[in-house]
Amino acid sequence: MFKAILLEESDGKVTAEIQNLDEARLPDLEDAVTVAVEYSTLNYKDGMILNGVGRLVRTYPHVPGVDFAGVVEASDHPDYKPGDRVVSTGWRVGEMTWGGYAQKARVKGDWLVSLPEGLTAKRAMALGTAGITAMFAVMALEEHGITPARSTECGEVLVTGAAGGVGSVAVTLLASLGYKVAASTGRQEAHDYLRGLGATSIVERAELAEVSKRPLARERWAGCIDSVGGTTLAHVLAETAHNGAVAAVGLAGGSTLETTVLPFLLRGVNLLGIDSVMCPQARRRAAWARLVKDLPMDKLDAMTETAALGDLMTLGQEILKGQVRGRLVIDVNA
Ligand code: NDP
């Protein structure tokens, strides 16, 4: 038996309860690997799933948790054997199949990566989907010529939703790589926290959420990592410098995008979509290796708090309201 959060749905309403489940209930998958989970994490998408928002889960009962790290117990996959330490992010784990809010998980071996050398399971989950997404976004900006030098010459690189999970890792990564970073937040109390992560300036969330009156405005940003979407993304596109790039990561502020083609036609702005869910494994491994190399671990520890499975229903509601700061690791055995 193992402890897990089990979601049930009735009349469109999702309820959650911690239950003891039999291992026989774990999914039956090809090349399966069964993992004794040590840590999971809380991402925005977990908040949606815990609250039945967005119909991301189609089959109930369901065990949520899009990320987990732990030790292999049994394996039908040639790359993994009992005792190996592994990490799972993406591939719709915790969404289309059971996930990591449990002491045991079973996934296809092809969805796993080995715990990156230099990381503990806890730090891997302090990163989790949010961390690897921030790294993908930085890599995408680099691939489109957004260098630290450009952030001095053409305007800072902006991070929106900066006090959240993706935002906190993105600010820290960019700052440690030598970029000048503007952090946008709606939380007055997060200003010192963001400066501590390396932000060179702070921008009020409300300022960027205003609908742009003109399709092109003063060039302010060499690039941007945007967790917010909606009017914020439209606003930022109008302020992005010539040949700048905007990595669109999220939709915490809305999924509708009303803009014009002018930033693309007259300023050569690149809008880069970031998808951490179905990203190929080779790029995923490269991103993990970059995180180990480029992210100062003391800063990661400073942005991380730990909670237990029993705290998740409250925390799942808080993350949807933008009230969770930085990263939250879930100790599934606490
Ligand atoms: P968090 O809740 O940790 O961070 C989101 C931040 O956005 C909040 O902390 C807040 O920052 C800001 N925010 C929240 N609500 C609003 C609002 N209504 N208007 C403007 N800003 C708001 O979530 P994550 O960092 O885990 O995820 C961020 C987004 O990225 C989500 O939409 C998520 O679904 C998406 N995502 C996408 C991935 C991909 O593969 N593309 C992977 C991971 C996440 P502040 O308080 O500083 O203003």
Side-chain angles (χ1 to χ4, degrees), residues 309-321:
L309 283 181
D311 302 323
L312 271 167
M313 287 319 292
T314 309
L315 292 169
Q317 287 174 4
E318 287 178 6
I319 200 167
L320 293 188
K321 293 184 203 147

Side-chain angles (χ1 to χ4, degrees), residues 42-45 48 129-130 133 160-167 184-187 194 205 227-228 232 248-253 274-277 319-324 326-327:
L42 178 71
N43 297 285
Y44 190 89
K45 192 189 266 181
M48 294 174 74
T129 285
T133 301
T160 65
V166 175
S184 166
T185 184
R187 288 182 252 189
L194 290 167
R205 180 204 283 185
S227 302
V228 172
T232 300
V249 166
L251 42 63
I274 306 297
D275 175 20
S276 67
V277 176
I319 200 167
L320 293 188
K321 293 184 203 147
Q323 291 171 347
V324 171
R327 296 288 294 141

